[in-house]
Amino acid sequence: MIFENLSITRIITHEVFERDNERNIVPPVYGTSLVTLNPQGIEAFCSRIMDAMGRASRALEMTIIQADAASTCSLADQLVDLDDALFVTSSSAAANKLTSAQGRRGLPGGILVVFTGSAGHPSKRIVGFIKAETHSGFTRQQNANGSISLQFLTNLLLTPQTKLYKIGIFVESDPGEAELQDRWRAFIYDDQISVSNKLSAAQYFYEGFLGCAFPETSARWTREFHDHTKDFIKQIDLPEEQKIDLHNALVTYLKVDQSPTVQTSVFAQSYFDDPALRDAYEQFMAQKDFPATAIHKDLSDVTTALRYRKVSFSEDIKLIVPADKFESMIRMEAIEGEADGHGEVPTWTRITVKDRIRKQE
């Protein structure tokens, strides 16, 4: 995975604020020195990032659409090479840009964490931006007499249980490229992204601030995921009943699951019980040059394919069922048929429709 082997070299924080009642910008408060964390703190910080960016349903690669001198991508390209003193002062531009991107009231303020480091095998330089909202909570405290009390804390952020943060990370994929879009790749995490609000919930963050957009190839990748997965299911050596279940699972994953992304490893872990089959599926998809990272789900090219499930038999006999009704209304099982004149026993299919006949044509 891209964010394995994560190492953080520098961190600084700035504070941004919600706009006032007249929608005027409230200036940020800039950090003036690098954040110092002990080894346990660095480990926890890396853990938050890896947990988020490895969460396939909420993290995905984006297309960089803004790469001019005023863009966040350009800023990342500068920050990665600056010394500590210039990194501290120059990173304040990120706070200004995020403040401007939050163009309406109702978008909360928070802490902007800017960091540099490296990740992956082989290691690649990264520049990251986290917008974290603060919250309150309690900590356990043991008193001198042995009793245990709770201490109320405010301004907590990046705790494991909260989802109140968004992450954008630029990964330097090819330092030799002249164009920023070719030199860097962009990834985002936002727990609020879903199929229903993917274009609005965090648009100010991923587009207005980071200068990114959902890839235009999402529809094609989603179609290829669907087609390649169907081909894999067809070719594997499993009983037809299990293949039916896997075809149903594919429809469920694409059409019913509310995740805004598709990813081969997630589908494999969710629907293939056999580890060897999971590995075979991921290798099959890799051989088809399908990305291992999460892909934004766009069903526009597979709407027709997902509308009906079709099962074909010999003699031009076909069973056509609405895809979202197949699992609940149809049961299919292989049975032994009647022996032919040579004593061979064919395999027949028993189909149960959980309804009476409504109409014949």
Side-chain angles (χ1 to χ4, degrees), residues 105-168:
R105 277 191 53 78
L107 294 175
I111 302 299
L112 175 65
V113 183
V114 184
F115 62 92
T116 59
S118 61
H121 299 282
S123 182
K124 298 183 183 297
R125 297 194 297 178
I126 64 172
V127 180
F129 304 90
I130 303 176
K131 185 202 171 183
E133 299 172 33
T134 60
H135 61 104
S136 57
F138 293 87
T139 183
R140 172 185 175 276
Q141 180 173 305
Q142 187 162 6
N143 303 317
N145 61 3
S147 63
I148 295 176
S149 61
L150 295 177
Q151 181 181 1
F152 182 69
L153 301 176
T154 59
N155 296 323
L156 297 173
L157 67 151
L158 295 179
T159 57
Q161 289 74 27
T162 63
K163 314 297 182 186
L164 304 176
Y165 54 91
K166 310 178 193 303
I167 303 176

Side-chain angles (χ1 to χ4, degrees), residues 9-15 29-37 83-92 111-115:
T9 55
R10 297 180 295 191
I11 304 173
I12 189 168
T13 60
H14 309 287
E15 187 169 8
V29 173
Y30 306 118
T32 57
S33 61
L34 295 177
V35 173
T36 302
L37 294 176
D83 61 31
D84 290 351
L86 286 175
F87 174 79
V88 168
T89 55
S90 299
S91 66
S92 62
I111 302 299
L112 175 65
V113 183
V114 184
F115 62 92

Side-chain angles (χ1 to χ4, degrees), residues 74 154 175 359:
S74 177
T154 59
K359 184 178 180 181

